[in-house]
Each structure stands twice: as C-alpha cells, then as structure tokens.
Amino acid sequence: MSLTTSPASAVPTPDLPATMRVSVLRVPAAHPGADDPAAVPGTEHPNTLTVEERPVPQPGAGEVLVRVAAVGVCGSDVHYYRHGRIGSFVVEDSLVLGHEASGTVAAVGPGVDPERIGQRVSIEPQKPCRKCGQCKQGRYNLCPDMAFYATPPVDGAFAEYVVIEADFAHPVPDSVSDEAAALLEPLSVGIWACRKAGIGPGQRLLVAGAGPVGVIIAQVARAFGASAVYVSDISRERLDFAAGHGATHTLHASQPVDGLGADAFIDASGAPSAVRAGIRAVAPGGRAVLVGMGADDAELPVSVIQNRELWVTGVFRYANTWPTAISLAAEGRVDLDALVTDLFGLGQVAEALDAGRRPETLKALVQPWR
C-alpha cells in the first residue's frame, strides 16, 4: 500500500521522470516475526534491502509530489530492518522505510496552488482520516485509520519522490537546512513529549537517554523554559554532547536519582530499569512520559505512582507540532544540524541502518540523490 493516487488526477507540471529509485525492504516469505506474536524480542531475521525502479507517484486531489532531499534514520526503521516487526506492526510484504523527510515540491494535484511547486518543505509523514472521534478532538495521531510512512503496509521515504497531503508538506525558511527540515519529525516527537510532560518555565526535568531524541527533548525543554534538565545515559561521549545541547546536568545511568524531585521525567531510552528509576525521581503530582521503544511489558513502581499521585503516559507520534518545530529550528533555539554525523546515498541504506551500532554515530541521514 502506498499514499499514491491515479496519474490522471495530477495537475499538468514541468517534465518529471517516469521512474524513480526506491530502497525496498524485503523479508523472507515466512519468518517468526510475521506469524508468531510470541517471537523472541530481539531476534534478527535475514531481511534484505534492494534498490528498485518504480513509477514516480502522481499527486491526487489535495496532494503534492515531493522530490526528497534528506531522510533521517529512526530507531523504528532499524527495528523493522533487523526484526521485521514492532509490536503488532509486522512487515509481511515489501516495505519502503524512512519517515523523517524533507524535500522540494515537484508537482501538485487538483485543488493545490501550483505556486507551491519549487517550495522547500518538511514532511509530516502521516495521513489521518480526519473524520473519526480522535481526529475531531485534535488527536489525529491516534486515528485508527492512520496511514503513516514506513509503517506496514504503507511505504515510506527512502525514495527519490513521495506524495503527501498538501497541508502536511510544511514550508520551511531558507535558514533551515534540508537535513534539519527532515529532523523536524523527531523534533516534533520532542515537542509532543514536553507538552505531555507539562514542561514550562522554572521546571526541573529528568531525561533518560542521550541519543538523538533525548538530546532533542533536552533542547526543547530549555526552549520551553525549564530551569534544570538532567540527562542520564551509559555513554560518556553522548553525555558530553548533551551537556552542550540542552542538558544543564548529566548523570551516568548508574547514579541514583531517587531524591531528585523532578517535576517531570521523560524516558527516551526504552530501558525498563531507566523507566523505573526515572519514575522514582519524580516529585508528588509530577508526570512521567514514556517515549523510548523498549520491552512490550515492564514492571513499574506502582506504590510510588499511587502515593505520589503521578501521571504516567506514553507518546505515540505527535499532532499539531510542525509550526512550533519550524519556529524552534529557524530561530536557532534547537540545533538539529549538530545531530547529523553520517550521510548516505540510496544504495547505502543498509549501512545507514547499521550506523547506529557505532558509538560515534548520533544521527544518520539518507540523501536519495547522493
């Protein structure tokens, strides 16, 4: 399944190629992840990536065609590549990965201003139904009929061209690079997490995990007015980077945080031990927000949650975050370019997905035209 429509619906545009290159993930015809819900987490399957030629998709009514400039590698992409599934989302057929994307509008469908052709955009990689109860209440990220890039069976952005609904192709100013425009997606995760955590002026936040999302969360929290942002991790190198990008204090993950008395805790690690420790660090009436992908089930300190009346919630994507993300990036209040450590071409997606195994890699990006 893709987000394309009939070629006949497109508005006449300047000449475009008939075909494009696409990086395609293929899984074995039968692997435990596809058929066995109890498959051992962490089991890797012999999945493969190939570059294929496909027709350039055509934008339908209310859509635009985007020539992709940059695509960030996310942990979910890596998970699908190595394990073939994330929870109930299972790769059962070929899939194009990648959902953190930017580019330039190359064509528009009916109902979209042709003046948008040539406009640089950041892609919000989702298509909600806009009609259900969740959408009507503004929580379109929870739409039960959501079509989200690189979530089976919807293809993603490791391709030369993609289509998206026009209002989810957000214009970006020239002060925001193509790479930073792609990373407005994980920045949106950080914004959504900080909103869920209720971060505001003068508050104290603990963040577990100094990877890209953890560092972004730290920067967003400071931009929202947090007076103290503690970041914990097992990597000294990543903690040193966080210290220059949002963190006011850094802690090795082995250090106790029980008495920290934070107003909020955001987990960006996915480690059950970090979640338990972080919850214990929250003051009465505070909030704990779970962002990191880890075990499907984990033990929580229930008595602490009850006795302190803590709010514990999760983050599933985002809603209505791009205007804030664009402002934070354009004003230099969040530095996204500093996160980029590796650049790859479309024929190097496998290397891009494996780059995170190296301690020196923070954020890898794919440039399809490289």
Side-chain angles (χ1 to χ4, degrees), residues 59-84:
E63 295 179 333
V64 297
L65 175 72
V66 177
R67 185 181 190 270
V68 180
V71 190
V73 172
C74 176
S76 63
D77 299 317
V78 175
H79 217 78
Y80 283 127
Y81 173 51
R82 294 181 185 166
H83 312 301

Side-chain angles (χ1 to χ4, degrees), residues 96-122:
V96 178
L97 297 173
H99 62 269
E100 304 174 359
S102 68
T104 302
V105 176
V108 300
V112 181
D113 186 355
E115 292 296 319
R116 292 205 62 181
I117 296 174
Q119 189 176 65
R120 295 178 60 248
V121 296
S122 172

Side-chain angles (χ1 to χ4, degrees), residues 255-346:
Q255 292 180 248
V257 293
D258 287 20
L260 193 60
D263 297 292
F265 162 64
I266 301 178
D267 176 68
S269 72
S273 59
V275 172
R276 289 191 291 270
I279 289 174
R280 293 182 184 278
V282 180
R287 295 171 180 255
V289 181
L290 308 184
V291 179
M293 292 187 301
D296 289 342
D297 295 291
E299 294 182 2
L300 298 179
V302 175
S303 63
V304 173
I305 295 169
Q306 291 177 322
N307 295 342
R308 298 183 191 175
E309 292 196 348
L310 304 182
W311 294 87
V312 180
T313 186
V315 159
F316 188 64
R317 300 168 183 159
Y318 32 67
N320 303 304
T321 53
W322 251 259
T324 300
I326 292 168
S327 294
L328 291 177
E331 295 169 8
R333 302 179 71 187
V334 171
D335 186 353
L336 297 173
D337 289 303
L339 299 172
V340 180
T341 53
D342 300 83
L343 296 173
F344 298 90
L346 198 60

Side-chain angles (χ1 to χ4, degrees), residues 18-37:
T19 63
M20 65 176 182
R21 295 184 308 141
V22 179
S23 175
V24 181
L25 172 68
R26 295 196 177 278
V27 299
H31 63 70
D35 303 315
D36 180 8

Side-chain angles (χ1 to χ4, degrees), residues 26-32 34 45-48 91-93:
R26 295 196 177 278
V27 299
H31 63 70
H45 303 289
N47 304 326
T48 59
V91 182
E92 297 179 328
D93 201 347

